[in-house]
Amino acid sequence: LAATPGGANAGYAVAASLGDTATARGLGGHAGRGFSGDTIQRKNQYTEPRTVTLPTKYDGVVSSAIWPGYAMMLVRKTGERRVVQGPQTVLFEYDEEPQILTLSRGKPKTTDNLLQTAFLLTRANKVSDYVDVETSDFCKLKLKVSYRVNFEGEPEKWFSVENYVKFLSDHMRSKLRSAVKRIGVEQFYANAEPTVRDVVLGPAREGAGRAGTSFEENGMRIYDVEVLGVEIENKDIAAELAASQREVIRHTLTIASSRRGLEFVKESESVRQQTDEAKQVTARALAKLAQEQIEDKLAVDMARIAAAARTATEEQTVSLAGEKYRSNLLEEVLGQQRAKAQQEAAIDQVKLDQRKAWLEAEVRAVVDKAGAVDPALVAALTAFGEQNMIEKVSEAMAPLAMISRTGVMEVVGELLKGTKLGDRLLPAPKNGAVKASGESVPRS
């Protein structure tokens, strides 16, 4: 027994050596009919079938390696079945045989080109097909689609459909033709992929994706589909649709360009606004900083002014104290000078009194002496003495008369008041005056 998974030449053949080579090669019927010769001659072009020759008649077991993602169903003569999934190497029981699947090949999928294989690809199986559809406006199209298939559920059901490829293709062709028949060619041509995906996989579910298409018959599920192409059989319609699509694309590009321009303008204006806002924030920060600096400078200036005011107050207080001290000192000095002047005036008064007393004593002595002299001589001497004394006194009292702005005779009269000479001098005659030199001015 020989078996290989997948491929154009997949399959198996069995041949056993049962003693007669001709019988083992399928010629036993002819050998048993009694030909005229004992030997059979074959042509050299004969190709022997693929065989597995067991090394012994009874020893050794037939095995097969099953690749990852593949499965094989083994059937016994009693009808018992088991499914073996790869990756592993399976050992055949003496009466087990693999179940053969017959799969459609080519595009579109038909029964004209079949593949026989014992291996089933259960994960990420890919089935491609062409589907002829017609739109609601009687335009025929050819869809190129590729389905992604997984086999799920119970493995015994996977081999229930011998040609699952044809089964899947026929079912999906029917669904696609029915869905496209309700849509116009322009609408379908513009939305071919989402339309096909909605038909094959079902509508998109929020947070759960698409459900896909499941087949209860053999546990097959289409979990994804690709639209490889859409062809319009009518060339004129295809050209018009292409022109329409180009026009739509042109308009779309124009709108997209305008939108990009709008987005650029919005973005640039947003950046400019953000820049202006940043500048305003910076300006406000600078203004606030300047205000704080001004306030700090004002506080410093106020503190400086307050300190200067306190200094000036203290200086003024010190100055007033100094002035007061100097005033008190000056008053004390003036008091001392005044007391000294009073003392000196008192001393001068005493001296003057002493001088006056001496003069009076001298005068009395002179008078006493003169009493013994002739009265005429006395009178002459007296007049002469008075005149002489008046001249000396006038000379001495002239500055005092100038200071007091009075006549010399008045000053002398005041000085000699109470004496005979003073009585003679005061009061002064009305029509006469005394010169500064002490001479008498004759009356008129």
Side-chain angles (χ1 to χ4, degrees):
L1 172 66
T4 57
N9 298 320
Y12 77 97
V14 178
S17 178
L18 301 177
D20 188 356
T21 303
T23 304
R25 294 181 177 177
L27 301 177
H30 297 286
R33 294 179 182 177
F35 288 97
S36 58
D38 294 332
T39 61
I40 299 175
Q41 295 181 354
R42 299 191 179 97
K43 296 182 180 180
N44 295 331
Q45 290 79 9
Y46 175 75
T47 302
E48 294 183 359
R50 293 176 296 172
T51 60
V52 175
T53 303
L54 301 180
T56 61
K57 184 175 182 180
Y58 299 104
D59 295 339
V61 179
V62 177
S63 65
S64 177
I66 302 177
W67 297 346
Y70 285 85
M72 175 188 292
M73 175 173 279
L74 300 178
V75 183
R76 304 189 68 171
K77 297 298 184 180
T78 59
E80 183 182 350
R81 299 170 180 266
R82 65 172 176 143
V83 176
V84 183
Q85 301 183 52
Q88 64 174 304
T89 299
V90 59
L91 300 178
F92 285 47
E93 298 291 341
Y94 73 96
D95 61 344
E96 278 186 334
E97 293 182 356
Q99 180 173 338
I100 304 302
L101 298 175
T102 304
L103 308 180
S104 297
R105 296 191 297 181
K107 301 174 186 177
K109 294 293 187 290
T110 63
T111 56
D112 297 336
N113 186 5
L114 299 177
L115 168 67
Q116 290 186 342
T117 179
F119 298 93
L120 173 65
L121 182 59
T122 60
R123 292 288 181 269
N125 199 334
K126 183 177 180 179
V127 178
S128 301
D129 192 16
Y130 289 164
V131 182
D132 293 327
V133 296
E134 185 177 20
T135 62
S136 61
D137 44 10
F138 305 103
C139 180
K140 295 183 178 181
L141 301 92
K142 178 178 289 187
L143 302 179
K144 299 179 181 179
V145 294
S146 177
Y147 307 104
R148 293 287 183 177
V149 180
N150 283 340
F151 284 84
E152 303 171 350
E154 299 178 1
E156 288 76 9
K157 294 179 60 177
W158 296 349
F159 295 85
S160 299
V161 179
E162 181 180 7
N163 190 348
Y164 70 88
V165 174
K166 185 69 167 56
F167 179 69
L168 180 149
S169 301
D170 292 342
H171 183 73
M172 298 315 302
R173 284 175 191 169
S174 176
K175 293 184 67 174
L176 288 172
R177 286 169 182 165
S178 176
V180 174
K181 188 65 177 178
R182 298 190 296 269
I183 306 174
V185 60
E186 185 175 4
Q187 180 183 357
F188 177 75
Y189 194 77
N191 303 280
E193 184 171 356
T195 301
V196 172
R197 292 182 66 84
D198 287 342
V199 172
V200 176
L201 304 177
R205 297 174 298 175
E206 184 177 358
R210 299 176 183 268
T213 300
S214 299
F215 296 84
E216 294 293 334
E217 292 81 357
N218 61 346
M220 180 171 55
R221 186 175 73 89
I222 302 175
Y223 67 89
D224 195 9
V225 62
E226 297 179 52
V227 180
L228 304 178
V230 179
E231 295 181 2
I232 301 176
E233 295 183 0
N234 192 320
K235 303 300 181 183
D236 296 335
I237 296 176
E240 291 179 2
L241 270 178
S244 176
Q245 289 296 322
R246 283 193 297 270
E247 188 69 19
V248 170
I249 292 172
R250 196 161 39 245
H251 291 321
T252 303
L253 292 177
T254 302
I255 295 174
S257 178
S258 300
R259 286 178 178 172
R260 285 193 297 270
L262 177 61
E263 291 297 329
F264 173 75
V265 172
K266 287 182 178 179
E267 189 67 22
S268 61
E269 291 299 326
S270 176
V271 171
R272 184 179 302 175
Q273 291 174 3
Q274 293 176 4
T275 303
D276 293 340
E277 290 178 359
K279 289 182 178 179
Q280 290 179 0
V281 171
T282 303
R284 285 194 293 268
L286 292 176
K288 185 176 181 180
L289 180 61
Q291 183 179 0
E292 292 177 354
Q293 291 177 351
I294 293 173
E295 292 177 354
D296 293 341
K297 187 176 181 301
L298 179 61
V300 172
D301 293 340
M302 293 297 295
R304 188 177 299 163
I305 292 172
R310 287 195 298 271
T311 302
T313 303
E314 293 176 359
E315 289 179 353
Q316 186 176 7
T317 303
V318 173
S319 177
L320 290 175
E323 291 293 335
K324 186 176 181 180
Y325 174 76
R326 286 191 294 271
S327 177
N328 295 333
L329 182 60
L330 182 59
E331 289 180 359
E332 185 177 355
V333 171
L334 291 176
Q336 292 177 359
Q337 290 179 355
R338 191 180 301 111
K340 184 179 180 181
Q342 291 177 356
Q343 186 178 5
E344 289 178 354
I347 293 172
D348 291 340
Q349 184 66 34
V350 171
K351 288 181 179 179
L352 182 61
D353 293 338
Q354 291 177 356
R355 178 68 178 171
K356 182 179 178 182
W358 180 79
L359 287 176
E360 290 178 353
E362 186 177 3
V363 169
R364 283 193 299 269
V366 171
V367 171
D368 291 338
K369 289 180 179 179
V373 183
D374 187 17
L377 179 60
V378 173
L381 290 173
T382 302
F384 179 78
E386 290 178 355
Q387 183 178 359
N388 188 17
M389 186 181 67
I390 290 171
E391 290 179 357
K392 291 182 180 180
V393 172
S394 298
E395 290 177 1
M397 296 299 171
L400 182 59
M402 292 177 65
I403 292 173
S404 61
R405 295 182 180 180
T406 58
V408 177
M409 297 306 293
E410 294 178 359
V411 175
V412 175
E414 290 292 333
L415 182 61
L416 299 178
K417 187 177 180 181
T419 64
K420 294 180 178 180
L421 182 58
D423 295 337
R424 293 178 61 183
L425 293 175
L426 293 174
K430 295 181 181 180
N431 55 354
V434 181
K435 293 181 182 181
S437 60
E439 296 179 356
S440 176
V441 180
R443 296 175 183 174
S444 59

